[in-house]
């Protein structure tokens, strides 16, 4: 039997920037931010990242991918999460970023 545990919560909100301080402040000290290269120039990404840097002791950014999802990208993200001992994984932007963020969460909490 194969069984996985992923302690995750998915939040989708257009007004998250207004609520982010109170929402994320209790989630630990280190965060991994997952966003594609195309998303990092957006207003939302930059505002969100600025707020996270005020809340978290350490912000690790993973954006080494375009529009393609493969195991190497996920493995790299899992290594970043484990090596960085992150408490929280936040995926911002496109469908690929959200999918990769969920996969990193799943595989970084299971052996």
């Amino acid at each position: 039997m194969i069984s996985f545990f992923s302690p995750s919560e998915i939040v989708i909100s257009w007004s998250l920037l207004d609520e982010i301080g109170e929402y994320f402040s209790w989630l630990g000290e280190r965060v991994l931010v997952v966003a594609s290269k195309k998303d990092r120039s957006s207003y939302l990404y930059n505002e969100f990242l600025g707020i996270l840097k005020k809340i978290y002791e350490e912000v690790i950014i993973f954006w080494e991918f375009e529009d393609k999802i493969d195991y190497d990208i996920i493995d790299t993200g899992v290594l970043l999460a484990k090596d960085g001992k992150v408490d929280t994984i936040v995926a911002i932007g496109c469908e690929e970023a959200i999918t990769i963020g969920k996969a990193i969460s799943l595989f970084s909490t299971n052996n």
Side-chain angles (χ1 to χ4, degrees):
M1 172 173 46
I2 298 174
S3 134
F4 290 98
F5 171 72
S6 182
S8 62
E9 179 176 354
I10 298 173
V11 177
I12 300 171
S13 172
W14 292 108
S15 63
L16 188 59
L17 285 177
D18 299 332
E19 308 160 9
I20 193 171
E22 72 180 62
Y23 188 81
F24 284 97
S25 62
W26 61 276
L27 292 175
E29 298 176 352
R30 293 179 182 83
V31 62
L32 174 67
V33 177
V34 180
S36 74
K37 288 181 181 179
K38 70 180 179 185
D39 291 324
R40 69 180 176 185
S41 62
S42 75
Y43 168 79
L44 176 64
Y45 170 79
N46 289 306
E47 287 294 310
F48 196 76
L49 189 60
I51 294 168
L52 289 177
K53 286 182 176 181
K54 291 177 185 175
I55 296 170
Y56 286 93
E57 182 180 302
E58 184 175 358
V59 176
I60 301 168
I61 302 168
F62 179 52
W63 58 30
E64 301 302 317
F65 59 93
E66 298 279 345
D67 296 334
K68 183 180 149 194
I69 300 171
D70 64 33
Y71 293 114
D72 291 336
I73 290 168
I74 294 168
D75 285 343
T76 301
V78 169
L79 287 173
L80 279 172
K82 287 184 174 183
D83 290 347
K85 298 179 182 169
V86 300
D87 305 300
T88 306
I89 299 170
V90 176
I92 305 170
C94 66
E95 176 184 353
E96 291 81 11
I98 304 301
T99 301
I100 290 169
K102 290 190 292 187
I104 292 169
S105 174
L106 179 69
F107 291 117
S108 65
T109 56
N110 293 278
N111 293 325

